[in-house]
Structures are given as C-alpha cells and as structure tokens.
Amino acid sequence: MRITDAKVIVTCPGRNFVTLKIVTDEGVTGVGDATLNGRELAVAAYLTEHVVPALIGRDPARIEDTWQYLYKGAYWRRGPVTMSAIAAVDTALWDILGKVAGLPVYRLLGGRSREGVTVYGHANAETAEAVLAEVAWYVERGYRAVRVQTGVPGLAATYGVSGDKTFYEPADAAIATEAVWSTERYLNTVPSVFARVRDEFGPDLKLLHDVHHRLTPIEAARLGRSLEPYALTWMEDPVPAELQEGFRLIRQHTTTPIAVGEVFNTVWDCQQLITEQLIDYIRATVVHAGGISHLRRIFDLAALHHVRSGSHGATDLSPVCMAAALHVDISIPNFGLQEYMRHTGETDAVFPHGYRFENGYLLPSEEPGLGVDIDEELAAKYPYQPKALPVNRLEDGSMHSW
C-alpha cells in the first residue's frame, strides 16, 4: 500500500478547521486535525507546500519512520505550526492503520484501561448567581467535573466568560480585539465564587479553574492557597510556562494541583515540569503535540512521575482530534480528565463521528480506525473566515498575557 494523495481541507462550519485527508492506492483513507486557532492558514500552507509532496509514494504503515522524517527532516524543529502539521499526518496514518487492521485505534494502543473517559464542561457567567446556575446545568446532564470561570467586577470582559454558553469561541474578529485585565480585581473575586459553588454542590463534584497564564508565580501561589479550602482538581495555566522554574515557587506555597500544557508542542517543552514533579496534570493534546505517537511519549514520561493527563479539548479541536484524543485517553494508565467542549450542529455534520457522551463519560467509536471522517462536499459550503484570538492589556495600557 502506498500514499497517492493528501488533501488539505480548510472549512468554517461556525469556526475554522484544517483537516488533512490521506488517500492510498487501495482506497483506504485517513484523517488528521491540523487546526491552530487564529493561525490556521499557516499550517495549511506548511502542509500543502512542504509536507504533502513528501508523503506521496510513502508506505502509510511506517508511522514512526514518517514522524521522524517530518520532525528531523525539517531541521527547524518544533513550534506550533510544524508540530500541528506533523500531528495531522500522524493521526491520519493511525486512522489508516486501524482501518486496515479492522480495529479501533485504541485497540492498537493496548486496549482499554477504563470503561469511559471522564470529561469536564465549562460553566461560566458574569456573576456568582449565574455561575451556580451554569454549574447546575452541567450536573443535571451527568457531568462529573466542571470548569468554573467567572466575570470580574470592573472588567468589561473576562477570559472564559461567553455570551454563548454552549459554543464558546474566543477567536471573534479578523483583527484581534483588545481586552483590559486587572490581576488585583481577579484575585479578590475568584475565591468567593468557588466558596459558593462548593457549598452548593458538595465535595464530590470535581471543580477546575483556568487562570490562562495571567499571573506571576507568587500571585499564582496566593490564588492556589486561597482556593485550597474548595479542593480544586486543578488550577490550570497559572503562569506563562516559558520560565518553568516559576512552578517551583508555586509548589512551595500551595497544595492546589496544577495543570499546564495546552500550548506545548513536544515532550521537551514539559520535561522539567514532569520530571521534577512541578505539575499534577499535563494538558498537551494530539493536534498541537505531534499526533498520537508523540502524545503517547509525553504521557508515558508523565506516568513515571505521578503526573496524569488532562488534554486540551476546546472547540478549536475538531471532532477528528477529539476522536483521536479519546482513543489515547481510554488506553493510557495515567489518564486524569479530558476537556470537552461540544461542537455546533454544523460542525458535527461536516465531521460525522461515532464517539458519544453518556453519564459524564465520552466513549470512543468502535469502528475501525478513529471512527470519524470529513464530508468534503459539505465542508466546501463553509469557506474560511479570518478570525483572531484576543489580546490583553493592563488598565494602564501595558500588554499582558491573554
């Protein structure tokens, strides 16, 4: 069997997605997600101009060799564009392998380590009262874990708080919108909201919170300490991860668990955090961390150091990536949680899939391969629309991490 074609498909059924579809001479196809939120066309061009020509004629069963070829052969290694492109190829090849073997991908990864994948939803609102109602909405639908984001008095907009509670999408304009941020207002607001949520829903519901890289290490330590009475499952992305030594300072001051890694691209990005046990959950994901093959390397390293998975799963991951993530999640021994933001009906129609949500769990498809595809004809009806992620400034006008 040989690869005869590879199509790069850009579509926007409510938001932009980039999908790679690999075609073989025996008619077996595979799909991979290559979406990089706000920079989709950069990956599409990388695939079209540099990767696709190199795939033609290759044996699709040589997954590891192809991964190494695309990684080491690039010379300019790593980075989100390169690794998202590699991820799309790798994921599509696993899809093909599963179809040829007649098995779902998770069976090729060692089979089930659990019956279902525990997922968390996003409860968000401007006020504490409204947050309680949003948490209740998820609990009523069987969710066992909920991420809680709240508005901050005095700020016109706050990360994670959306007018559309079902399909949150921060990339909202062709040119990045600018928001205003105040760390002081934020730190004074969040703990009281979690006090009310924990009091209302008791000790068993898993609660999470995303700081979104906005604090310094000592500010994050203060927040973590203030949240300890409410037993969060994790505090996500407390600081920008470029300075990984900063996580040691957080560790010295709080026992609130830490999750990080949705912007990581390789195992080397998180090596220190994992091996020195500075985090509790690693949030790397299939599409941004080099595909199923490389994500498994990250999770295997994490398993040796008592770090669990907590993969990113926002709406900028297409159903192709979500399907791939579930096959990894259900097979690894150190699974923690999986983020799950539902897609629009239009997106689900473009990407027909077999995974499903039941009683707080996502269950992967039992079909051979990933159990997901792309309807190319329908995808063509939703042309690309330029969208950018917002940027942040402090109240005095200084640029700040979004």
Side-chain angles (χ1 to χ4, degrees):
M1 182 183 291
R2 296 290 167 179
I3 296 172
T4 57
D5 193 12
K7 308 173 186 178
V8 180
I9 304 164
V10 182
T11 183
C12 187
R15 72 150 339 273
N16 293 311
F17 296 107
V18 180
T19 306
L20 178 70
K21 187 168 188 176
I22 294 179
V23 181
T24 69
D25 57 3
E26 296 185 15
V28 183
T29 63
V31 290
D33 188 7
T35 307
L36 184 61
N37 199 352
R39 297 293 185 268
E40 294 91 354
L41 295 186
V43 187
Y46 190 100
L47 284 166
T48 300
E49 298 173 14
H50 305 291
V51 174
V52 168
L55 294 178
I56 306 305
R58 294 186 67 88
D59 180 353
R62 296 184 63 172
I63 299 176
E64 181 63 27
D65 181 68
T66 299
W67 196 97
Q68 297 293 339
Y69 174 86
L70 294 174
Y71 181 81
K72 293 180 177 177
Y75 185 71
W76 309 106
R77 300 179 184 181
R78 304 164 70 174
V81 173
T82 295
M83 297 307 290
S84 295
I86 292 175
V89 175
D90 183 82
T91 305
L93 294 182
W94 277 102
D95 191 21
I96 290 172
L97 183 63
K99 291 174 181 175
V100 171
L103 295 170
V105 167
Y106 78 81
R107 294 277 299 276
L108 303 177
L109 299 176
R112 289 177 180 266
S113 290
R114 58 199 45 82
E115 294 305 312
V117 174
T118 307
V119 298
Y120 67 91
H122 291 202
N124 68 91
E126 288 291 346
T127 66
E129 288 293 340
V131 166
L132 293 174
E134 289 298 315
V135 175
W137 189 92
Y138 281 99
V139 171
E140 290 165 2
R141 282 153 182 79
Y143 282 77
R144 302 162 186 266
V146 180
R147 192 185 84 166
V148 176
Q149 305 295 133
T150 180
V152 176
L155 299 183
T158 309
Y159 168 78
V161 178
S162 170
D164 187 335
K165 304 304 180 189
T166 305
F167 307 113
Y168 173 60
E169 173 51 60
D172 59 359
I175 303 298
T177 57
E178 297 191 8
V180 175
W181 174 252
S182 167
T183 296
E184 293 78 10
R185 296 174 190 268
Y186 167 76
L187 291 175
N188 289 333
T189 299
V190 170
S192 62
V193 174
F194 273 92
R196 295 192 61 180
V197 172
R198 184 59 80 194
D199 182 64
E200 178 77 16
F201 294 96
D204 295 331
L205 181 64
K206 297 179 185 296
L207 298 179
L208 308 90
H209 179 66
D210 187 359
V211 182
H212 220 246
H213 321 277
R214 297 185 177 206
L215 302 180
T216 65
I218 200 65
E219 290 167 346
R222 172 186 161 188
L223 177 63
R225 177 74 66 86
S226 68
L227 293 174
E228 285 178 10
Y230 317 117
L232 269 63
T233 296
W234 76 46
M235 175 175 65
E236 178 183 335
D237 291 341
V239 297
E242 289 92 339
L243 179 63
Q244 299 196 350
E245 184 67 22
F247 286 79
R248 191 180 314 282
L249 180 61
I250 303 172
R251 272 285 201 239
Q252 291 169 346
H253 292 282
T254 180
T255 58
T256 295
I258 300 170
V260 73
E262 70 183 47
V263 299
F264 289 172
N265 308 131
T266 70
V267 68
W268 297 281
D269 295 327
C270 48
Q271 180 182 5
Q272 179 184 3
L273 293 174
I274 290 173
T275 59
E276 298 184 21
Q277 297 179 297
L278 300 178
I279 60 173
D280 303 278
Y281 295 87
I282 179 65
R283 301 199 66 250
T285 194
V286 172
V287 65
H288 299 142
I292 292 173
S293 298
H294 195 67
L295 188 64
R296 279 290 300 265
R297 293 189 183 98
I298 294 173
F299 289 164
D300 285 344
L301 177 65
L304 298 177
H305 296 87
H306 307 288
V307 175
R308 288 178 282 183
S309 73
S311 288
H312 182 58
T315 48
D316 58 331
L317 279 64
S318 83
V320 173
C321 186
M322 181 57 70
L326 294 176
H327 287 280
V328 175
D329 292 337
I330 208 160
S331 65
I332 61 173
N334 57 324
F335 171 75
L337 284 174
Q338 171 66 56
E339 182 178 17
Y340 173 49
M341 293 184 70
R342 291 158 297 144
H343 293 104
T344 64
E346 292 82 359
T347 295
D348 287 337
V350 169
F351 297 96
H353 55 269
Y355 64 78
R356 65 191 190 279
F357 177 80
E358 289 183 5
N359 195 30
Y361 299 112
L362 273 181
L363 305 175
S365 171
E366 294 297 327
E367 300 170 19
L370 295 175
V372 63
D373 205 348
I374 182 169
D375 184 328
E376 297 183 57
E377 184 176 337
L378 186 57
K381 296 180 179 180
Y382 299 101
Y384 170 79
Q385 299 181 26
K387 298 287 184 182
L389 292 170
V391 298
N392 244 3
R393 293 185 184 273
L394 299 179
E395 291 177 300
D396 68 359
S398 305
M399 286 298 301
H400 191 68
S401 296
W402 174 71

